Structure formats: structure tokens, C-alpha cells
């Protein structure tokens, strides 16, 4: 019996094992082939776990099948640990190259060429010498070199590699690779190389022969859907049509997320794995999404780890704060920083600057407040009506109001994302309570001037979120120096009512954080009810803090 294919979440995809989109269809193959024919050196970059390695391996195999070139792929990440030790680092690169040449091309002379190159005492020539020998071994078929994880290298090792490639550039195509593709997360221009002498060298200056920078994009909507439907074709298991729009908004085609959600739905959900006649419903999809977020998978951890970088912090903090003025921030945030965070896959820049997909929008605030969540001592049961099993959101917000007054100054002190601290602290408090059975969805973005939270809570404990649900929305607004608090409340009432209508919620609440310098706590703490616009029989609760 043939093995059932799966959605791939680790390493390069293999067509005999995994559902996959044709890798060569994901790159502009005619453009890549034209750059190679023109003897260009160029960059292919994309965020982590986007499919770069799969595409490079497919490109190598495609070029070698055609027979015009000798294409060689090598992952040189192993040289990262050498850092500034050039001899160790370039030595590791040579080992990766001759092992790859033996594996992919059957070339057995690579190790001898490496020994000959090392006979020279200067490691700054070793790579150039090896590539020259490799190219001269079959000058009728020029070399196309595909180097993966280049930006993992550090310090003088990376500088030496780039400069040796540049030094041999004039010898191409007979005695040096005709074309070199550098692949990594970042474009070469974003390499910031710190040498032992505290000199900072940019990748662009060390590798000024780069002709193009190509970015591997996410899946399109059609590709996302087509990938999942490969599972239906293989097993007969059907997906609810209502899944496709949430799947797209949750992932916006980020390949690892698309595959990870597919894996959660079709494999980690044991009920659906055991019975392929059972359809994947929208609610089962939502449960799979929450499991993925709570798993803190390696991909999501790597993403969260970047949040501490100053260049990333400046951009993400502005988005999380939501109240920031995009026009003012365009002068404060360097374009290179914005491009860098975009290249990491953390943000989208069209139609506006925002976190790149809904799952990242969930993961980022959870990661930033994880340590705060675990120290919050409030229990879910305190806020659930035992008779109706409804979550008592007004009681919950009143408790947070007291908690915020007592702890906010201490908790926000030293918090790296202090600009968005009040909103994040509220989310941490809610997450601590709602994680006891429900879920929270978030909406925020640069210039939206608010943070929207949608709480979904199960009304039937036996069915959980697969059964009937209570929906309530909470919107956060800030009052800053020079702002009229009543105008902020009026605007917030209209916005939260609109958000409730759009999300089908029957409850709506507004939280207003007063951040004006001269306002004492006694004036900040209040609670009122306002008429719900268009629904005079209902009210919207507002909490001041």
C-alpha cells in the first residue's frame, strides 16, 4: 500500500512524500535562466521556511537535466560557528562544496582540490582556488553555484567568502562559476558584518558584483487552496468551502503556516486522521489553528526571537501601538529597517504597514507577554457564570481595571515594548483567563488608532468551541497629551459597534487608557455605559484606566 503523503513542516519538500506546489513555478524561471545565461551573480532571498531550499534543489536538478551547465547546490550554514576564524570557516565551506559535488554530480576530485587549496597558507584564497579547479574540470559546461544560508555566516568568514567570489568574477565562465546565486533570509545589502577591529562592513560593499535581488514570495490564494486540495485528491477527505477565506487571512500564503495548518487538520486531529470520510469543518480548522499557535512551534519561536532586535522593535512596536501616526513614523523609521523587517516576513507593506498575517498577529503579542501571563494569578472559573456558562466580560474588565492600577507601573517598567504596554498587558490578562476554554482574535495595524479583540467562549462545556459560542468584542483606545478624552470615547464607541456588527458579536466593550502626564489615577479610573449606535435597547460598557 503506498504511503499517504503529508503536509511538510520541516526541511525541503519531496514530491514522493509531500503535497507540494511545483518549486520552479514559484520562481520566475525565465528570468533566472536569463540571468544565468548573462553570467550574472545574484541573490535569492525569502523569510525562513518559505521553500528556498526546495526551489534551489529543483533549479539545480532542472539545469543539470538540460545538460548545458553543471549546477551545484551547497548549504554552507555549517561555517557559522567559525565566526571570525577564516581558516575554520572557509575550510567548512570547502567541505560542504566537495561533499555536495560528490553527492549531486558524482565528482570525486573535490576533496583533493580542497587539500591543494589549503596548501597555501592564506585561507582568503582557498575558496577561489577550489572553484577555479572545479570550473576547469569541465570548461565546456560552465558552473552555476547555488549557495544556501549564506547570511548565516558571521564576521570575517562572511567577508572573506564574498570577496573571494568577487575576486574570481573576472575568470568566469571558463575558470570560475558563470553564475552564483546567494540564498538566505536577507538580501546581501542587509548584511551588517562586524569585524574584530570593530569595523562594520555592509554586504553591498563586499559583494558589489550583485546584479539582481530576487525575493521568493508566498503562495498565492489559488496555490494555497490547490495545495490543500491535493489531500482531498489523494484521500477523498473534503474541506468545508468556508475554510478557504480564513486559511488565506490566517496565513496570507506563508508556506510553513499553510503546511502546518494542513498537518494539524489532517494528521494531528486524530478523529480526522482515523476517518477520511469525515470532512474538515470550519470549526475543526479553528481548533487546529489554536493548537498550532499554542504549540510554540520552532518556526513561531524563531519569529518571536527576532522581536528583541532593535531594528525589528522599532517597526513592530509602532504597529502594536496602533495609535502611532504613519506620516510621523515614516520619518522616524529608516527605510532600511522597514525593508529588513519585511524581508524577515514579519510585516506586509501593502495596502498598509501591518503584521503580515493573522497568525503572526496572534503569536507576537502572546510571545511578548508570555512571562507576564504565567504570573497572573486570576483563575478562569472566577469569571464564568456557573448557571449559563457565559464568560462575564464586564466582571473581567473590572478586575483588569483594578489589576492595571495596582501593577501597571511596575510591570511596564523596563518592558521593551513599553509603547504598546497597556494594550499588551490587557491582552496578557485576557489570554490568561480566556485560554481556559475560549479564544481571542486580534486586529491592529499602523495608523488604525485602535486595537480590536474578539473573544469567543463556548456555551456548552461538552462541545467546547465546536458547539454554540458567546462572542464579545473589546476595543482599546489611548488618550495622549493634547487629546480630548470625550472625543476619543465617541470615536471608540462608533468603532467598537462597527467591529461587533462585522464579527457577529452581541456584546461590545471599550477600554480607554489615559496616558496624559498630569492626570492622577483617581481621574483615570471610571466606568460608564453608552447607547449602542443603531441599537437603542443595548449599551456599550466603557472602562477608563
Amino acid at each position: 500500500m503506498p504511503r499517504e503523503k503529508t503536509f511538510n513542516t520541516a526541511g525541503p519538500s519531496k514530491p514522493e512524500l509531500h503535497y507540494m506546489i511545483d518549486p520552479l513555478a514559484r520562481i520566475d524561471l525565465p528570468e533566472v535562466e536569463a540571468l544565468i545565461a548573462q553570467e550574472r551573480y545574484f541573490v535569492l532571498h525569502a523569510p525562513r521556511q518559505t521553500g528556498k531550499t526546495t526551489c534551489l534543489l529543483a533549479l539545480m536538478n532542472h539545469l543539470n537535466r538540460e545538460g548545458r551547465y553543471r549546477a551545484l547546490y551547497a548549504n554552507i550554514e555549517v561555517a557559522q560557528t567559525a565566526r571570525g576564524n577564516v581558516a575554520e570557516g572557509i575550510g567548512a565551506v570547502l567541505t560542504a562544496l566537495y561533499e555536495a559535488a560528490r553527492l549531486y554530480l558524482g565528482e570525486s576530485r573535490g576533496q583533493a582540490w580542497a587539500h591543494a587549496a589549503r596548501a597555501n597558507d592564506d585561507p582568503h584564497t582557498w575558496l577561489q582556488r577550489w572553484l577555479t579547479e572545479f570550473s576547469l574540470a569541465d570548461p565546456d559546461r560552465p558552473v552555476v553555484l547555488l549557495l544556501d544560508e549564506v547570511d548565516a555566516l558571521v564576521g570575517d568568514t562572511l567577508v572573506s567568502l564574498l570577496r573571494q567570489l568577487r575576486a574570481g568574477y573576472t575568470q568566469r565562465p571558463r575558470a570560475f562559476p558563470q553564475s552564483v546565486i546567494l540564498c538566505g533570509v536577507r538580501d546581501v545589502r542587509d548584511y551588517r558584518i562586524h569585524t574584530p577591529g570593530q569595523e562594520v562592513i555592509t554586504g553591498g560593499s563586499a559583494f558589489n558584483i550583485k546584479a539582481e535581488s530576487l525575493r521568493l514570495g508566498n503562495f498565492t490564494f489559488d496555490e494555497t487552496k490547490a495545495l490543500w486540495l491535493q489531500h482531498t485528491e489523494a484521500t477523498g477527505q473534503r474541506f468545508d468551502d468556508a475554510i478557504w477565506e480564513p486559511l488565506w487571512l490566517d496565513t496570507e500564503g506563508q508556506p510553513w503556516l499553510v503546511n502546518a495548518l494542513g498537518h494539524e487538520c489532517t494528521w494531528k486531529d486524530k478523529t480526522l486522521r482515523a476517518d477520511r470520510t469525515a470532512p474538515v469543518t470550519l470549526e475543526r480548522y479553528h481548533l487546529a489553528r489554536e493548537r498550532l499557535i499554542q504549540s510554540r512551534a520552532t518556526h513561531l519561536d524563531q519569529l518571536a526571537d527576532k522581536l528583541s532586535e532593535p531594528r525589528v522593535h522599532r517597526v513592530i512596536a509602532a504597529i502594536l501601538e496602533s495609535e502611532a501616526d504613519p506620516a510621523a513614523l515614516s520619518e522616524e523609521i529608516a527605510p532600511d529597517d522597514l525593508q529588513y523587517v519585511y524581508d524577515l516576513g514579519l510585516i506586509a507593506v501593502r495596502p498598509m504597514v501591518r503584521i503580515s498575517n493573522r497568525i503572526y498577529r496572534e503569536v507576537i503579542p502572546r510571545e511578548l507577554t508570555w512571562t507576564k501571563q504565567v504570573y497572573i494569578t486570576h483563575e478562569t472559573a472566577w469569571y464564568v457564570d456557573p448557571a449559563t456558562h457565559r464568560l462575564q466580560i464586564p466582571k473581567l474588565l473590572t478586575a483588569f481595571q483594578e489589576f492595571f492600577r495596582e501593577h501597571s507601573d511596575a510591570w511596564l517598567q523596563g518592558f521593551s515594548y513599553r509603547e504598546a504596554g497597556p494594550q499588551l498587558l490587557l491582552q496578557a490578562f485576557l489570554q490568561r483567563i480566556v485560554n481556559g476554554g475560549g479564544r481571542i482574535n486580534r486586529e491592529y495595524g499602523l495608523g488604525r488608532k485602535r486595537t480590536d479583540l474578539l473573544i469567543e467562549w463556548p456555551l456548552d462545556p461538552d462541545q467546547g468551541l465546536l458547539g454554540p459560542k458567546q462572542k464579545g468584542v473589546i476595543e482599546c483606545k489611548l488618550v495622549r497629551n493634547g487629546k480630548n478624552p470625550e472625543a476619543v470615547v465617541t470615536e471608540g464607541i462608533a468603532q467598537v459597534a462597527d467591529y461587533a456588527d462585522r464579527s457577529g458579536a452581541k456584546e461590545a466593550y471599550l477600554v480607554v487608557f489615559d496616558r496624559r502626564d498630569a492626570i492622577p489615577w483617581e481621574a483615570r479610573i471610571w466606568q460608564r455605559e453608552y447607547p449602542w449606535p443603531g441599537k437603542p435597547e443595548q449599551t456599550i460598557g466603557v472602562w477608563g484606566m
Side-chain angles (χ1 to χ4, degrees):
M1 181 177 177
R3 172 178 169 176
E4 183 179 297
K5 290 184 179 183
T6 60
F7 290 96
N8 185 29
T9 59
S13 294
K14 299 180 179 180
E16 69 275 14
L17 299 178
H18 305 124
Y19 304 125
M20 58 186 293
I21 300 298
D22 178 5
L24 295 180
R26 298 192 58 213
I27 60 176
D28 187 339
L29 186 59
E31 180 180 15
V32 169
E33 290 179 323
L35 289 169
I36 292 171
Q38 295 162 11
E39 303 182 7
R40 303 301 183 103
Y41 286 16
F42 58 101
V43 173
L44 176 68
H45 66 101
R48 292 208 175 278
Q49 294 181 291
T50 305
K52 300 185 297 296
T53 301
T54 300
C55 287
L56 289 177
L57 289 170
L59 178 61
M60 177 185 70
N61 292 331
H62 167 74
L63 294 173
N64 286 332
R65 277 195 305 270
E66 289 193 329
R68 181 180 173 186
Y69 305 107
R70 280 183 301 150
L72 179 64
Y73 165 89
N75 184 317
I76 60 174
E77 187 176 16
V78 66
Q80 181 185 45
T81 56
R83 304 187 73 81
N85 186 327
V86 176
E88 182 181 338
I90 297 300
V93 171
L94 292 187
T95 300
L97 285 170
Y98 70 67
E99 290 292 350
R102 181 180 61 82
L103 175 65
Y104 296 123
L105 301 176
E107 176 56 77
S108 61
R109 294 168 289 179
Q111 189 169 9
W113 296 334
H115 285 312
R118 287 186 177 121
N120 184 297
D121 290 335
D122 184 6
H124 294 289
T125 67
W126 292 353
L127 176 63
Q128 184 181 352
R129 287 168 180 265
W130 192 93
L131 290 173
T132 296
E133 292 297 328
F134 180 53
S135 301
L136 288 172
D138 188 354
D140 292 332
R141 289 192 301 151
V143 170
V144 177
L145 183 63
L146 301 87
L147 292 180
D148 202 1
E149 301 289 355
V150 174
D151 58 343
L153 274 57
V154 179
D156 283 347
T157 295
L158 178 54
V159 174
S160 180
L161 179 135
L162 295 175
R163 287 181 172 167
Q164 288 188 64
L165 291 175
R166 186 174 68 181
Y169 184 70
T170 56
Q171 300 167 209
R172 73 195 198 288
R174 183 174 182 277
F176 212 68
Q178 170 164 318
S179 184
V180 174
I181 303 175
L182 302 183
C183 189
V185 172
R186 296 170 292 163
D187 189 357
V188 68
R189 68 165 180 270
D190 281 321
Y191 299 178
R192 300 290 188 269
I193 309 163
H194 297 266
T195 68
Q198 304 306 310
E199 180 186 8
V200 178
I201 299 173
T202 63
S205 64
F207 195 70
N208 58 8
I209 53 175
K210 180 194 78 171
E212 293 283 349
S213 287
L214 307 181
R215 189 177 193 272
L216 182 63
N218 289 341
F219 296 149
T220 64
F221 176 89
D222 289 340
E223 288 172 335
T224 299
K225 184 176 179 180
L227 182 70
W228 276 39
L229 287 177
Q230 289 178 25
H231 174 76
T232 301
E233 183 178 351
T235 68
Q237 190 162 52
R238 187 179 61 81
F239 295 98
D240 188 334
D241 284 341
I243 285 174
W244 303 127
E245 183 179 2
L247 172 62
W248 175 250
L249 294 174
D250 285 339
T251 66
E252 299 209 20
Q254 203 289 329
W256 185 87
L257 289 178
V258 173
N259 277 283
L261 281 168
H263 186 64
E264 284 287 340
C265 285
T266 63
W267 188 256
K268 300 296 282 291
D269 188 320
K270 294 180 180 179
T271 299
L272 296 175
R273 188 207 313 175
D275 182 6
R276 292 306 190 196
T277 65
V280 182
T281 63
L282 179 60
E283 194 48 58
R284 285 204 172 274
Y285 166 81
H286 283 148
L287 293 174
R289 175 185 185 272
E290 188 64 22
R291 286 196 307 273
L292 178 64
I293 292 170
Q294 291 190 13
S295 72
R296 305 182 78 190
T298 301
H299 171 89
L300 301 178
D301 268 353
Q302 289 175 339
L303 174 147
D305 184 60
K306 293 292 183 183
L307 299 175
S308 60
E309 291 187 19
R311 300 174 74 188
V312 176
H313 173 276
R314 285 191 286 272
V315 176
I316 299 299
I319 296 173
L320 292 177
E321 187 185 5
S322 292
E323 296 280 336
D325 179 14
L329 282 169
S330 67
E331 300 177 2
E332 298 174 17
I333 297 176
D336 282 353
D337 289 348
L338 200 67
Q339 184 67 44
Y340 173 65
V341 180
Y342 171 71
D343 286 346
L344 291 176
L346 287 168
I347 64 169
V349 295
R350 291 183 176 86
M352 66 184 72
V353 177
R354 57 188 172 84
I355 304 297
S356 55
N357 56 66
R358 289 200 309 201
I359 288 183
Y360 287 0
R361 291 207 300 263
E362 292 292 311
V363 169
I364 288 172
R366 292 193 197 200
E367 288 296 324
L368 288 173
T369 60
W370 175 251
T371 55
K372 291 179 170 35
Q373 284 184 47
V374 298
Y375 286 109
I376 294 173
T377 58
H378 293 238
E379 299 291 338
T380 302
W382 300 354
Y383 304 102
V384 178
D385 186 318
T388 64
H389 198 68
R390 295 184 69 85
L391 184 67
Q392 298 174 298
I393 300 177
K395 182 179 179 181
L396 185 56
L397 290 175
T398 299
F400 174 74
Q401 187 181 53
E402 181 180 350
F403 175 87
F404 187 77
R405 178 172 184 173
E406 292 178 0
H407 301 289
S408 62
D409 289 341
W411 281 43
L412 297 178
Q413 189 68 34
F415 182 43
S416 61
Y417 279 76
R418 193 172 182 181
E419 305 93 328
Q423 300 99 310
L424 290 172
L425 193 55
L426 172 62
Q427 292 177 58
F429 190 89
L430 293 173
Q431 200 73 56
R432 175 71 176 185
I433 306 304
V434 176
N435 265 358
R439 62 175 168 238
I440 300 176
N441 298 300
R442 299 165 173 83
E443 287 190 18
Y444 46 78
L446 188 59
R448 294 184 73 247
K449 303 224 177 266
R450 68 199 208 236
T451 300
D452 296 330
L453 308 172
L454 168 62
I455 295 176
E456 295 182 286
W457 184 260
L459 296 175
D460 183 339
D462 294 330
Q463 297 184 69
L465 288 168
L466 290 171
K469 292 182 291 289
Q470 169 191 0
K471 286 186 176 183
V473 298
I474 301 172
E475 186 164 301
C476 307
K477 299 281 288 182
L478 272 70
V479 179
R480 297 193 179 279
N481 292 326
K483 291 285 187 179
N484 182 333
E486 286 303 322
V488 171
V489 170
T490 300
E491 181 182 49
I493 291 290
Q495 290 172 341
V496 74
D498 174 68
Y499 181 47
D501 290 340
R502 287 189 288 111
S503 57
K506 305 300 183 185
E507 303 174 53
Y509 307 96
L510 177 64
V511 174
V512 179
F513 294 103
D514 196 330
R515 309 305 289 167
R516 291 176 295 171
D517 297 331
I519 306 301
W521 273 111
E522 291 73 19
R524 296 182 190 181
I525 301 297
W526 49 267
Q527 181 178 342
R528 301 174 197 151
E529 288 191 349
Y530 288 79
W532 188 313
K535 299 179 181 179
E537 72 284 358
Q538 293 179 256
T539 60
I540 293 175
V542 183
W543 279 257
M545 304 185 195

